[in-house]
Amino acid sequence: MAGLSLNACGITFWATVFLVASTGATPVDSSSSTSRCKVYPGDAAWPSDDAWAKLNKATDNRLLIKPEPQASVCYNGPLYDAAKCAELTTDWGRSYTHFDDPIEMMSPVAQGMTCLPPDVFNSHNCTRGGFPMYVINATEPKHVQLGVDFARETGVRLIIKNTGHDFLGKSGGKDSLSIWTHHFKSIDYIEKFEDEKLGYSGPAFKAGVGVQAFEIYKAAHDKGRAVVGGEGETVGIFGGYIQGGGHSPLSSLYGTGADQVLSFDVVTADGKFVVANSTSNPDLFWAMRGGGGSTFGVATAVTVKAHPDMPTTASRFGFTSEKIGNETFWAGVRTYVDYFIPNADAGTYAYFLLLPNITTGIFSFKMSPFFAPNKTLEQTTTLLQPWFTRLNDLGITFDPNITHFDSYYDAWKSSFPLEVVEKINATTGSRMFPRANFETEAKRDELLNNLRKSSENNRVQVHFNIKAVDPSNADNAVNPAWRPNILFAQQAVRWPVNATSAEILKIRQDFQTGDMQRWRDSSPGAGSYLAEADRLEPNFGQAFFGTNYPRLLELKTKWDPEDVFFVTTGVGSERWKVESVDGLPNENGKLCRVTT
Ligand SMILES: Cc1cc2nc3c(=O)[nH]c(=O)nc-3n(C[C@H](O)[C@H](O)[C@H](O)COP(=O)(O)OP(=O)(O)OC[C@H]3O[C@@H](n4cnc5c(N)ncnc54)[C@H](O)[C@@H]3O)c2cc1C
Ligand SMILES: *[C@@H]1O[C@H](CO)[C@@H](O)[C@H](O)[C@H]1NC(C)=O
Ligand SMILES: *[C@@H]1O[C@H](CO)[C@@H](O)[C@H](O)[C@H]1NC(C)=O
Ligand SMILES: *[C@@H]1O[C@H](CO)[C@@H](O)[C@H](O)[C@H]1NC(C)=O
Ligand SMILES: *[C@@H]1O[C@H](CO)[C@@H](O)[C@H](O)[C@H]1NC(C)=O
Ligand SMILES: *[C@@H]1O[C@H](CO)[C@@H](O)[C@H](O)[C@H]1NC(C)=O
Ligand SMILES: *[C@@H]1O[C@H](CO)[C@@H](O)[C@H](O)[C@H]1NC(C)=O
Ligand SMILES: *[C@@H]1O[C@H](CO)[C@@H](O)[C@H](O)[C@H]1NC(C)=O
Ligand SMILES: *[C@@H]1O[C@H](CO)[C@@H](O)[C@H](O)[C@H]1NC(C)=O
Ligand SMILES: *[C@@H]1O[C@H](CO)[C@@H](O)[C@H](O)[C@H]1NC(C)=O
């Protein structure tokens, strides 16, 4: 293993770099263990240009130095270009604009809103904000090892960016060194993968961690297979998604993304390149299946189960309160709640929206889509008919289009639109409502009133009626709240574009003590999903990791005793805080220890 031999001399290599680089004063590595904050520009311990140049050389010239935010073409300075700015403004919403870039994140709010196209949001200036200072455009484990060693030995903050989809901005960090994993793009099909301990014998894919949903779904389809992944076209299935759990249009059949993992190739905090599977580093294997990205190591490849491809039926429809009025509208939504348990138990997935319009006072329900993998048109129609009859009885017109596809891939391609970048004036909170919330008439009434209240408070709601039970009962770190889940619910709070930092903070805090607390109160002991949640979620250890938290914290200390890896709301993150310049929860500030 090239990685091990490299690591054996890694420390010596970096010691040499810093002996050459520093003026001979303090040994550089003292910073990481004792200083209050990570090392930043202006600190005596900040690596010299020469040290960065050595890192660049060692990584085959793959170090990007101060990559510019894309919107710098919109602001006064050497890169100003009105035509390019206009083009960027047009393309801003497309996820491709962001994941193909070494630093951009899908969540501008978490970046700190310091450089956006003025027509999207006028940041009046373009500064780096929560973006990293240096980026290793990694394509080999060796590049990752060098980045991890450099960060550990210098005390510079380390981040990992794959696609940048994380809702909370966990792929950003001011003035950090970033390892960009986007170009680990290999996909290998394994006819027969056997692991007695995991009880799996069957086909598998080994994929580089930069592989995205549209790529693995196509590769799987070509082999007559289907792989568990997210609905979004460009989500990085083998990075943050899979380590954080990951829900899927196939979850009601096969469980979470993390439940599919057979093996990881990982660079750990000590710079070693290891395998984490059921027999090699099994505790790391356990933790990385659900314990969250950028916490225990950097994966470079992941092996997952490959399931048979299957015909799939999908359906889209909707209705609004415009002609029928509020009471009938909510009665219609209420009839649906009666079918959440049977529909999830039947192996289906439903993605639906509840949209308020404060100007018109009109509410909308949008099913987009109801997704029935492995079901014929007839089976799907039979499943939906009892609910449709009740909607008809209420006089609700909803115009269903039920379409059958020969494969999961074709159904997925036709059913889910390309995802867009997140809003500049919104934040999403989430809750996993368990089966207990749907088992009685009274509980279903309570749930409906809960959703209605959020709509009346002008929250945009996105819901997933799914379960996430792994038929093989994998023992892993997936949030236990996924197991009884029936409704994974998201609601977004919005604020005026011109609101001050203090106003935004107040609105966000009120959202947590108001609408989010009401959701928590009605689902005691349940949780939230770490990749689609609010940075202000209180008691994040319980919410994102549940009863696994104490063990995960022990494993964090074992595998990363120096906190080389940090992400906000990650395991062990309570020891650190991003001290943002505007006091808002974002990445635009130094990462410092929480002093007691
Ligand atoms: C439009 C949209 C649709 C989505 N749809 C779904 C969905 O259907 N189901 C679902 O479950 N989620 C969904 N998500 C959430 C998504 O799973 C998370 O945003 C997830 O974090 C994305 O992982 P990523 O690697 O692509 O993103 P990134 O933001 O690049 O990374 C996420 C986190 O993982 C870390 N990380 C990334 N790669 C590695 C690695 N190789 N090793 C260690 N750490 C790593 C990063 O540091 C970061 O902390 C969606 C998000 C968006 C914006
Ligand atoms: C823009 O930001 C730069 C870098 O922080 C700063 O030097 C400059 O004064 C700022 N310009 C304005 C107009 O705020
Ligand atoms: C990153 O590396 C890939 C693969 O070598 C290359 O195609 C791409 O252009 C690089 N990106 C940047 C911004 O350097
Ligand atoms: C786990 O990884 C080790 C080390 O690479 C390997 O020897 C072993 O065969 C793997 N186990 C399985 C079930 O693949
Ligand atoms: C609300 O409805 C008005 C009038 O139809 C429309 O112009 C506006 O875009 C809607 N707002 C939202 C947030 O959908
Ligand atoms: C429906 O409820 C909304 C929000 O509570 C309100 O603004 C609207 O006027 C109501 N519509 C009708 C027709 O009563
Ligand atoms: C899919 O349907 C086939 C045929 O009805 C069945 O044999 C198979 O078990 C189903 N798969 C799953 C995962 O339910
Ligand atoms: C129904 O949906 C399918 C698949 O999305 C689409 O091709 C078809 O045009 C739709 N039919 C109607 C009548 O809208
Ligand atoms: C959020 O910003 C958009 C523009 O991007 C604006 O249309 C909308 O009204 C804003 N929302 C609120 C609640 O002000
Ligand atoms: C934001 O704009 C609104 C309407 O234009 C105005 O009433 C409000 O005072 C502004 N708020 C701030 C903080 O500028």
Side-chain angles (χ1 to χ4, degrees), residues 213-231:
F214 67 98
E215 295 164 321
I216 191 66
Y217 291 170
K218 170 85 170 62
H221 178 62
D222 290 347
K223 295 281 181 196
R225 302 286 162 196
V227 163
V228 173
E231 50 85 15

Side-chain angles (χ1 to χ4, degrees), residues 129-149:
F131 288 134
M133 186 78 93
Y134 292 88
V135 178
I136 299 175
N137 183 4
T139 55
E140 292 172 32
K142 180 185 89 168
H143 304 142
V144 176
Q145 292 178 290
L146 287 160
V148 169
D149 285 340

Side-chain angles (χ1 to χ4, degrees), residues 31-44:
S31 56
S32 57
S33 50
T34 56
S35 307
R36 194 178 75 83
C37 302
K38 295 275 180 177
V39 169
Y40 286 95
D43 293 349

Side-chain angles (χ1 to χ4, degrees), residues 344-363:
D345 284 345
T348 66
Y349 164 103
Y351 178 126
F352 65 95
L353 312 170
L354 285 171
L355 304 173
N357 188 320
I358 202 125
T359 321
T360 58
I362 296 169
F363 298 112

